[in-house]
Amino acid sequence: SDPCLLCPSQSTMRAIATLLHNNSRSIPSILSRGRVMKASIHIEKKLEELGYVLPPPPKSQANYVQCNQIGNIVYVAGQLPMPPDGKLVTGVVGKDMNLEEAQNAAQIVGLNFISTLKNYLGDLDRVKKVIKVNGFVASTGDFYEQHLVINGFSNLMGEVFGPKGRHARSAVAHHCLPLNVPVEIEGIVEIEE
């Protein structure tokens, strides 16, 4: 076999890197001096392609901040189901809405979560990993599918961020939540510095 193919020169590697870099939108990674580097995902473009519209970043409803950062970890405050039209989704799951409607509300919470991160980070491509989320579901005493409600949020994170969106989580029932919302979700995210 040709040793040139097994051990390409630095100039060959640079030429390959340039070629791949110029086509990086369709290639998930590029080679640079023999190392694999991640290409930018362009999360906002992906959101657009998926047909999602981010609501305006939510304002805190009491005395707290939307995000707190320690090192490269961002703690995102509990987000509510506020669609782009500004009309808060309200009700108790099992009484005022069914499972599917509650999952849609959890997805809206996810869009607010992403909007909050975009407002805080400036660039959603800085999200390295959605680490952990805590989901709270206002539900009746005979509703036992809180975990499926929170899938509305979790599925969105996976759809938008790919493997970086897969997270650990909790799904907890409550008899009521602030402002009579059916779902509230907070999370912990690792970011690129």
Side-chain angles (χ1 to χ4, degrees), residues 117-150:
L117 282 171
K118 180 180 182 320
N119 186 57
Y120 183 76
L121 299 173
D123 180 4
L124 289 170
D125 289 331
R126 289 183 62 201
V127 172
K128 191 172 181 181
K129 182 72 176 166
V130 179
I131 299 170
K132 170 86 165 72
V133 300
N134 294 316
F136 308 98
V137 180
S139 51
T140 58
D142 59 352
F143 181 85
Y144 305 110
E145 297 182 313
Q146 290 79 10
H147 61 296
L148 298 179
V149 171
I150 304 303

Side-chain angles (χ1 to χ4, degrees), residues 26-176:
S26 60
I27 299 172
S29 63
I30 59 172
L31 292 174
S32 176
R33 297 186 185 189
R35 297 180 310 176
V36 175
M37 298 179 64
K38 293 179 183 174
S40 183
I41 296 173
H42 305 297
I43 295 299
E44 289 183 57
K45 183 169 177 39
K46 189 168 187 180
L47 280 164
E48 184 181 320
E49 288 170 356
L50 292 168
Y52 293 117
V53 176
L54 290 180
K59 296 186 181 353
S60 299
Q61 299 294 317
N63 188 18
Y64 64 92
V65 295
Q66 288 291 321
C67 293
N68 236 344
Q69 183 175 347
I70 299 173
N72 66 335
I73 303 297
V74 175
Y75 296 82
V76 182
Q79 301 297 302
L80 306 179
M82 179 77 75
D85 68 9
K87 187 173 185 216
L88 194 64
V89 177
T90 59
V92 175
V93 184
K95 176 183 160 195
D96 305 313
M97 64 179 59
N98 62 29
L99 173 61
E100 185 178 347
E101 292 166 323
Q103 288 174 323
N104 289 337
Q107 183 181 73
I108 294 168
V109 171
L111 292 170
N112 278 275
F113 188 90
I114 294 169
S115 180
T116 296
L117 282 171
K118 180 180 182 320
N119 186 57
Y120 183 76
L121 299 173
D123 180 4
L124 289 170
D125 289 331
R126 289 183 62 201
V127 172
K128 191 172 181 181
K129 182 72 176 166
V130 179
I131 299 170
K132 170 86 165 72
V133 300
N134 294 316
F136 308 98
V137 180
S139 51
T140 58
D142 59 352
F143 181 85
Y144 305 110
E145 297 182 313
Q146 290 79 10
H147 61 296
L148 298 179
V149 171
I150 304 303
N151 277 352
F153 177 96
S154 296
N155 293 345
L156 177 70
M157 293 301 115
E159 192 177 9
V160 172
F161 294 106
K164 297 190 298 186
R166 292 196 42 85
H167 49 266
R169 75 170 201 203
S170 300
V172 182
H174 285 271
H175 73 282
C176 69

